[in-house]
Amino acid sequence: MAEANTDPRKLKADLWKKMADSPFVMVGPADGSTHSEPLTAQLDEDQVDTLFFFIGKDNRVAGKSDLMLQFVSKGHDFFACLSGKGRVDNDRAQIDKLWNNQVEAWFPGGKDDPNLALLRVDIDSAELWETDLSIGGRLKMLFGGTIRSDEAGSYAKVDTTAESSPA
């Protein structure tokens, strides 16, 4: 993928837009001690570089601190691999802020369900890929043509996913 045309700020903004559209993320321990599993990210616009997940206290990542997360957008045109520190943070104000009907379906006891845990993941670093193939590039892919670097897309390795930060 072409790095020359990459604007990390655009990639970061696109990450959060794509994740808001389809918040499903594969989450697992960074050490690979067990498989990743799909979780639904809860996005809080007030907390940069942080993802939240409502999980059961017995979830395989509940006690893990070093986590790896993979995201693929709904249109398969954006990919992200995020690493971060995870911890259960059952801050009631945060639970109230993020609570929704989908979460309630998984926790019949509501916000006071004894199995409820709010996993907070503070992102340390990320690699972001966005494909932006032109029609000509898509045809080349279909028929085995050579893809020029300006047709391939964008890539950035970043220390923060904050949109205002250049990298």
Side-chain angles (χ1 to χ4, degrees), residues 15-27 37-43 51-53 69-74 100 102:
L15 167 67
W16 294 111
K17 286 177 197 163
K18 299 282 186 178
M19 201 173 279
D21 187 40
S22 181
F24 309 107
V25 181
M26 294 296 291
V27 181
E37 65 179 294
L39 296 175
T40 303
Q42 306 297 321
L43 307 178
L51 293 174
F52 295 92
F53 302 91
L69 303 86
Q70 291 84 28
F71 170 74
V72 178
S73 70
K74 189 186 298 185
N100 60 57
Q102 289 178 326

Side-chain angles (χ1 to χ4, degrees), residues 85-105:
K85 299 290 183 201
R87 64 185 168 94
V88 171
D89 182 9
N90 283 346
D91 174 52
R92 186 55 185 242
Q94 192 66 37
I95 290 172
D96 289 342
K97 183 176 186 178
L98 299 173
W99 193 260
N100 60 57
N101 290 341
Q102 289 178 326
V103 174
E104 192 166 7

Side-chain angles (χ1 to χ4, degrees), residues 104-127:
E104 192 166 7
W106 287 95
F107 296 97
K111 297 174 190 174
D112 295 316
D113 192 302
N115 192 38
L116 178 69
L118 182 62
L119 176 67
R120 174 191 176 114
V121 180
D122 295 307
I123 299 166
D124 294 329
S125 68
E127 290 193 43

Side-chain angles (χ1 to χ4, degrees), residues 20-63:
D21 187 40
S22 181
F24 309 107
V25 181
M26 294 296 291
V27 181
D31 66 6
S33 60
T34 186
H35 292 283
S36 296
E37 65 179 294
L39 296 175
T40 303
Q42 306 297 321
L43 307 178
D44 181 351
E45 294 177 357
D46 298 326
Q47 300 209 36
V48 176
D49 283 336
T50 304
L51 293 174
F52 295 92
F53 302 91
F54 286 104
I55 61 172
K57 288 181 179 175
D58 57 349
N59 184 286
R60 67 181 77 175
V61 295

